[in-house]
Amino acid sequence: MDHLDAEAHTRGRSRYVDDEPRPAGLLQAAVVPSPVAHGEIRSLDLTAVRDYAGVVAVLTAEDIPGSNQIGSVLPDEPLLSTGEVHYIGQPIALVVAEDFHAARHAVARARLDIDERPVVVDPKEAFERGHLIADPQSVHMGDVDAAWAQCDVVVEGEATISGQEHVYLETQRARALPEENGAIRVLSSTQSPYVGQRTIAGILGVPLHQIEVDVRRLGGGFGGKEDQATPWACFAALAAHHTGRPVEIVLSRAEDLLMTGKRHAYRSDYKIGVTRDGRILALDVRHFQNSGAACDLSLAVLGRTLFHTTNSYFIPNVRVWGAPCRTNIPPATAFRGFGGPQGMFAVESALTHAAEALGIDREELQRRNLLRSSDSFPYGQNAATVRIRRCWEELDEGFDLEATRQQVEEWNDRHPAVKKGYAVMPVTFGISFTATFLNQASALLHVYTDGSVSLSTGGVEMGQGLFSNLAVVASRALGIEPTRVRVESTNTRRIANMSASAASSTTLLNGNATLRAATPLRERLLTHAGERLGSDPSLLTIENEQLLCDGEPTGWDWPKLVKSAYLHRVSLSAHGFYATPEIHYDEARGRGHPFAYHVCGAALVEVTVDGLRGSYEIDRVRLVHDLGRPLNRRVDLGQVEGGLAQGLGWMTVEDLRYDETGRNLSAALATYKVPDVYLMPRDLEVRFIEEPDTEAGPYHAKAVGEPPLMYGLGVVFALRRALRAFGRDGQLPFVAPMTPEQVLLQLQGDDDPSRLVSKSLGTRVPVPAEAVSS
Amino acid sequence: MGQKIRVEVNGTSHDHEVEPRQLLVHYLRETLGLTGTNIGCETSLCGACTVLVDGRAVRSCTQLAVQADGSSITTIEGLGQNGRLHPLQEAFHEEHGLQCGFCTPGMIMASAGFLDDQPNPTEPEIREALKGNICRCTGYHNIVKAVRRAAEQMGGES
């Protein structure tokens, strides 16, 4: 089946928020951003802003009738500054004008006098100063301290990974439409309509039922429109509340890059111990998360980092600790992978360091320590659903890893100035929100008398093909054609209290809720048909729109069945509710069973590096991915390719940098490079393992949104192998992204490590210590 | 202080008085209501706003409406003829060269301008033609396939 939006997209008929016809009197809003990263506002003069032609209202924190608070996890983030500013771009005032030119020109006329305070952009520095969002978290298993003595080789060092800008092509936007009795309808480009609704209601001091949030589709989200979409919806609603007129806010790309939160950068200290025969006995990692100026979703992101710091490996003695460090950059937020890749980067770096110290192939050390289904994760869940060994074997044999190794070595023997490298990146990713209560969903299904079907769920379509999946689930459950099913916009009046479309769980949750609506409705129809036909309902089925009795035609089709049920007063509507069973997690103890199952896969990444320039090509990526039974194979393949592109981009060309004053040095698409058509390798091969080995997903489908992004991490280690082939021995830092500049610096053996790391982190990063034999 | 312009957009002639500073994309979206053309960056770096002006693919976010005076413009809404999809639209659909859809109109219009100049492109030529259009969702593979498929299709028709 096709992507449901395919034809509308190609005709330019798909509507995003500001494509909806403009209501009369629509106003446009813009915000006055903080020009400094930390300070106290001594004076704020908005006279010239108010006087600017076309300006209708200028609002500050004092104009918020409810609670000036948008933090969804911790109440540490005001919608509008109350006198302090903590990052460049933090909203200070809201300007509402007749058109967006007036709004933007007026914003520039704000006069601010700010008493500047010290700025911290480095997470370790923030930690040393005690600037934490919350207490550090940890998980552990075995006895790490006792294990070092049993290791033949122990190495330690630091892995440094930068943040990432989402660059959803549709910038943040919302439109608020006042309705009668103070109610407000908000069209929002958000992955989290309920959090938007709840936060707007809090800002305005009204019950949630006064606020309706409606989402038709997003022009990309990737996590960047989970909590980060909320303030813009609040601004539109606040302005509509004050002016009584419809108000729209659409960020320019420049505003979006400046003001919105990105993926978390991490600095992670690791220590790993291995035996001479290649068993990893102990891993100790301390993560310093750059959380930005407010909590946002940082604590949940950090939790997932801890869960995934052993990636696909069984390590008997593990201690993983992480601190959410408050810094003066925009609040870091969700981004596809949600902390998982940062955890994996730490263990892959540690493991690579250990392999180099042992003098064995990285792949050998990886392979020997892969999880078996009888193993357990440090957080207590067993690995029963982990298929990583199967994925590795399919990759090893299917793509002939040994042949790749030989080809690369032969090439490198013959070419002094251009070297090749390769790496395998295994991925084991847990599926579910780690906050157990979020794993719930509802669906509302109506069948109309002509047999057409309307389906509403809490899931948001952002290009990932969710609506296509939901149409497949509903139509399969009812035995009808998917084209009969219209998947409706995501709306808080039809579906209450929905969780964000995130955690790769949207199809799992909303697909199962759809099944729980469709299945009783079908049973009701069959019971009715049994009565009318004098048949045993248990013998009746609906297949290909035909009502069958014991497999034989009854002469009734779907429209006739529906019409008959209607005339006999049988309900043609159903509500379904789903809560993922058997998951739980005790954060205080760091133990539990947080995931419904795990998705696994392995990628083989190959690169060619030009030793004179530091430039490189990603030659080829071949991967094996554990898909379960796909609801829609091409949609899933699209997710794999797109996720891989984002991972490869993050690890190579997406160079997000802040200077020591907290200024984003990459706040334009001219300075922040996203993958173009040349970055993705032309040679890309994806093999799926399609087994019905999970009962969790609808029709044995597995989650596919986030896991493929992490295959991209492999490119860092492939580049490192190429650097080694140039004869770069000794110390090389583990840094991402490996921009061509970074590769060249490492190649040239630059002695000043401060030049070897992204300036985003502000301080020197020590290179890994030499291997220590114990 | 408006300036009069006459443009033909998707086969229909329009006379409007526009502000000299008005961008072509705002004229198309706001004055004509043609919202299929999206704005991604306002700096001509993403290609989402690509339209054809006298057959040439241009970024409508960095061209003024007054510069288009006297021109014939094609937007995504005018690419298909008589309600039928253009082979490029069909190919992006068939090859699943889209996800969120925001880059799709610009990607298709850039390809349309390119195929007009180069009806039988090689794959490297397709990549070169699309290097200025950003897609954040797909990883580009299916987009390249779609353009190749459309080229084959269109070559077959002429």
Side-chain angles (χ1 to χ4, degrees):
Chain A
M1 172 183 168
D2 293 331
H3 193 295
L4 279 187
D5 281 337
E7 185 173 333
H9 282 351
T10 63
R11 286 183 183 274
R13 289 182 183 169
S14 298
R15 286 185 186 170
Y16 305 87
V17 169
D18 58 327
D19 293 343
E20 293 293 336
R22 299 183 161 214
L26 179 69
L27 299 172
Q28 300 281 344
V31 303
V32 176
S34 171
V36 302
H38 190 197
E40 212 162 302
I41 301 174
R42 274 197 292 248
S43 75
L44 171 63
D45 181 0
L46 297 168
T47 316
V49 181
R50 289 201 170 87
D51 290 347
Y52 193 80
V55 169
V56 173
V58 180
L59 307 173
T60 64
E62 290 168 4
D63 299 304
I64 293 172
S67 153
N68 180 15
Q69 185 51 245
I70 60 170
S72 75
V73 177
L74 294 182
D76 69 344
E77 190 177 2
L79 177 66
L80 285 167
S81 164
T82 52
E84 291 178 1
V85 287
H86 295 278
Y87 63 93
I88 291 175
Q90 182 177 342
I92 291 174
L94 179 67
V95 180
V96 193
E98 295 289 350
D99 63 64
F100 78 87
H101 290 296
R104 286 184 188 167
H105 285 286
V107 156
R109 283 166 168 72
R111 292 273 169 81
L112 283 155
D113 181 13
I114 298 179
D115 184 14
E116 293 194 41
R117 297 285 158 83
V119 171
V120 177
V121 294
D122 176 66
K124 282 192 172 173
E125 186 186 341
F127 180 77
E128 282 157 17
R129 290 169 182 246
H131 298 177
L132 290 181
I133 299 280
D135 290 339
Q137 306 172 13
S138 62
V139 295
H140 49 87
M141 180 167 74
D143 187 341
V144 172
D145 294 322
W148 303 123
Q150 296 158 35
C151 301
D152 296 314
V153 170
V154 176
V155 293
E156 53 191 306
E158 185 181 44
T160 304
I161 189 164
S162 287
Q164 186 179 23
E165 162 61 47
H166 302 84
V167 198
Y168 27 68
L169 269 208
E170 178 209 34
T171 53
Q172 304 276 0
R173 59 197 61 190
R175 181 187 290 180
L177 306 156
E179 297 188 326
E180 64 177 25
N181 296 328
I184 298 181
R185 172 174 158 82
V186 181
L187 311 180
S188 172
S189 179
T190 180
Q191 294 173 240
S192 196
Y194 160 67
V195 170
Q197 175 200 23
R198 192 180 72 196
T199 312
I200 294 166
I203 291 288
L204 297 182
V206 299
L208 270 77
H209 68 212
Q210 289 290 82
I211 305 300
E212 171 186 357
V213 174
D214 187 90
V215 185
R216 181 63 194 86
R217 65 168 59 73
L218 272 54
F222 316 117
K225 293 175 182 170
E226 196 172 339
D227 271 19
Q228 287 285 319
T230 301
W232 318 107
C234 289
F235 285 131
L238 180 68
H241 169 85
H242 277 279
T243 61
R245 288 169 63 177
V247 179
E248 185 170 87
I249 185 165
V250 177
L251 296 197
S252 69
R253 179 61 61 186
E255 290 170 329
D256 196 302
L257 294 171
L258 182 79
M259 296 190 229
T260 66
K262 331 290 183 203
R263 191 196 288 278
H264 295 79
Y266 277 64
R267 294 179 61 182
S268 306
D269 292 331
Y270 64 80
K271 182 175 178 184
I272 189 170
V274 294
T275 62
R276 230 177 287 286
D277 62 351
R279 274 183 309 132
I280 305 173
L281 288 189
L283 177 70
D284 191 0
V285 178
R286 287 168 65 83
H287 293 289
F288 298 85
Q289 179 197 57
N290 193 336
S291 316
C295 177
D296 195 283
L297 295 164
S298 292
L299 304 184
V301 169
L302 184 59
R304 192 171 276 275
T305 300
L306 302 192
F307 291 146
H308 292 313
T309 296
T310 53
N311 188 11
S312 302
Y313 311 109
F314 176 70
I315 303 172
N317 303 288
V318 175
R319 181 167 55 212
V320 188
W321 172 97
C325 307
R326 194 187 294 274
T327 61
N328 298 111
I329 65 172
T333 194
F335 197 143
R336 204 176 196 169
F338 204 76
Q342 292 95 325
M344 292 180 189
F345 186 68
V347 67
E348 293 297 330
S349 297
L351 178 152
T352 304
H353 191 175
E356 290 174 359
L358 268 179
I360 67 171
D361 258 3
R362 181 181 125 87
E363 287 65 37
E364 194 53 29
L365 192 56
Q366 288 177 308
R367 190 183 59 78
R368 288 190 198 177
N369 293 281
L370 291 174
L371 281 160
R372 296 172 200 277
S373 51
S374 54
D375 293 329
S376 285
F377 288 95
Y379 46 90
Q381 180 161 348
N382 65 49
T385 64
V386 171
R387 305 277 176 268
I388 190 62
R389 282 183 173 259
R390 167 87 188 277
C391 293
W392 185 284
E393 279 161 23
E394 296 241 344
L395 179 119
D396 190 3
E397 290 163 21
F399 296 136
D400 204 341
L401 183 54
E402 178 56 24
T404 302
R405 193 180 67 79
Q406 283 177 16
Q407 285 159 13
V408 166
E409 282 182 6
E410 281 166 22
W411 169 282
N412 288 344
D413 285 344
R414 294 201 314 271
H415 296 81
V418 179
K419 300 286 187 188
K420 288 185 183 290
Y422 69 94
V424 178
M425 182 65 205
V427 171
T428 297
F429 194 78
I431 302 303
S432 288
F433 287 97
T434 50
T436 304
F437 75 93
L438 292 174
N439 294 285
Q440 56 174 314
S442 301
L444 181 63
L445 192 71
H446 297 311
V447 179
Y448 296 100
T449 53
D450 65 350
S452 65
V453 175
S454 160
L455 172 65
S456 295
T457 76
V460 171
E461 173 63 50
M462 44 191 160
Q464 84 279 44
L466 170 74
F467 282 16
S468 312
N469 287 346
L470 294 175
V472 168
V473 170
S475 62
R476 268 207 223 175
L478 295 173
I480 60 175
E481 290 297 320
T483 49
R484 284 206 188 265
V485 182
R486 178 185 153 93
V487 184
E488 306 289 353
S489 67
T490 314
N491 185 294
T492 56
R493 290 221 194 285
R494 272 177 269 118
I495 300 293
N497 315 323
M498 76 263 292
S499 293
S501 287
S504 303
S505 300
T506 317
T507 293
L508 167 76
L509 293 171
N510 294 283
N512 277 318
T514 299
L515 273 182
R516 277 158 176 71
T519 308
L521 181 64
R522 181 191 65 212
E523 294 310 309
R524 211 149 62 220
L525 289 171
L526 295 180
T527 302
H528 164 73
E531 286 165 9
R532 302 306 300 166
L533 294 168
S535 313
D536 177 355
S538 69
L539 295 176
L540 295 174
T541 54
I542 312 165
E543 286 169 38
N544 300 320
E545 307 227 318
Q546 300 300 311
L547 180 68
L548 306 180
C549 182
D550 209 6
E552 296 299 319
T554 59
W556 283 36
D557 61 6
W558 171 256
K560 184 170 180 178
L561 175 61
V562 168
K563 196 68 178 276
S564 175
Y566 170 70
L567 292 173
H568 292 87
R569 301 190 293 172
V570 173
S571 167
L572 291 172
S573 295
H575 180 263
F577 179 78
Y578 175 77
T580 313
E582 291 164 21
I583 53 175
H584 56 88
Y585 187 66
D586 180 345
E587 205 175 302
R589 287 175 53 236
R591 308 286 293 172
H593 189 104
F595 300 122
Y597 61 94
H598 291 82
V599 166
C600 296
L604 174 55
V605 181
E606 297 170 57
V607 298
T608 303
V609 178
D610 178 331
L612 295 175
R613 297 173 182 81
S615 55
Y616 53 83
E617 291 279 333
I618 303 168
D619 299 325
R620 180 155 72 163
V621 176
R622 291 173 290 172
L623 63 92
V624 174
H625 184 84
D626 170 31
L627 195 62
R629 282 289 163 89
L631 291 167
N632 190 327
R633 193 175 287 100
R634 12 173 25 194
V635 161
D636 286 354
L637 181 58
Q639 285 290 294
V640 171
E641 291 180 357
L644 173 67
Q646 271 178 351
L648 291 173
W650 178 29
M651 292 295 104
T652 57
V653 297
E654 297 188 33
D655 197 6
L656 179 65
R657 294 185 185 214
Y658 290 88
D659 69 12
E660 59 276 13
T661 70
R663 184 167 303 278
N664 183 343
L665 300 176
S666 45
L669 292 190
T671 46
Y672 188 85
K673 188 170 163 58
V674 287
D676 63 9
V677 70
Y678 283 119
L679 185 100
M680 275 293 270
R682 269 185 239 178
D683 197 346
L684 170 65
E685 193 175 342
V686 178
R687 289 193 191 172
F688 288 135
I689 297 176
E690 297 184 23
E691 289 183 1
D693 57 3
T694 177
E695 296 302 320
Y699 300 109
H700 313 291
K702 285 189 182 178
V704 71
E706 293 169 286
L709 180 130
M710 283 152 270
Y711 298 137
L713 270 59
V715 71
V716 172
F717 303 96
L719 288 166
R720 186 180 180 90
R721 189 183 295 264
L723 291 178
R724 292 297 189 204
F726 279 110
R728 280 292 287 129
D729 46 12
Q731 303 172 350
L732 285 177
F734 291 98
V735 175
M738 285 286 273
T739 59
E741 178 189 20
Q742 177 68 219
V743 168
L744 192 62
L745 286 167
Q746 291 199 15
L747 261 175
Q748 299 305 319
D750 194 312
D751 295 332
D752 177 2
S754 72
R755 287 208 292 263
L756 292 178
V757 299
S758 167
K759 292 285 187 290
S760 70
L761 296 151
T763 57
R764 288 167 54 104
V765 171
V767 293
E770 282 302 287
V772 188
S773 290
S774 65
Chain B
M1 293 224 302
Q3 192 167 330
K4 285 190 173 136
I5 61 166
R6 170 171 291 182
V7 289
E8 187 186 294
V9 180
N10 301 333
T12 306
S13 184
H14 296 273
D15 289 283
H16 279 109
E17 204 171 289
V18 299
E19 277 194 56
R21 69 174 177 180
Q22 186 173 37
L23 296 173
L24 178 58
V25 70
H26 289 143
Y27 173 73
L28 294 171
R29 287 180 56 85
E30 291 162 25
T31 309
L32 300 185
L34 295 170
T35 54
T37 303
N38 293 319
I39 304 172
C41 72
E42 303 109 354
T43 47
S44 76
L45 289 163
C46 80
C49 65
T50 306
V51 299
L52 298 182
V53 177
D54 293 329
R56 243 165 33 87
V58 304
R59 308 294 164 89
S60 61
C61 77
T62 36
Q63 180 165 123
L64 298 168
V66 293
Q67 288 176 287
D69 185 24
S71 302
S72 169
I73 297 169
T74 308
T75 70
I76 190 71
E77 290 93 342
L79 193 61
Q81 298 292 323
N82 307 319
R84 287 186 51 208
L85 291 175
H86 183 275
L88 270 166
Q89 292 172 311
E90 232 163 53
F92 271 70
H93 185 157
E94 292 297 323
E95 296 289 351
H96 191 45
L98 50 86
Q99 284 185 32
C100 84
F102 207 79
C103 77
T104 309
M107 202 63 90
I108 289 177
M109 297 314 291
S111 305
F114 162 65
L115 289 184
D116 208 33
D117 288 345
Q118 177 51 280
N120 295 301
T122 62
E123 189 179 312
E125 285 170 338
I126 294 173
R127 286 178 184 266
E128 182 63 20
L130 295 180
K131 72 176 179 190
N133 285 68
I134 291 174
C135 170
R136 191 54 157 165
C137 297
T138 65
Y140 299 101
H141 261 250
N142 292 347
I143 289 173
V144 174
K145 276 193 230 166
V147 177
R148 201 165 48 186
R149 181 188 183 121
E152 284 163 13
Q153 195 80 26
M154 291 161 75
E157 278 174 3
S158 64

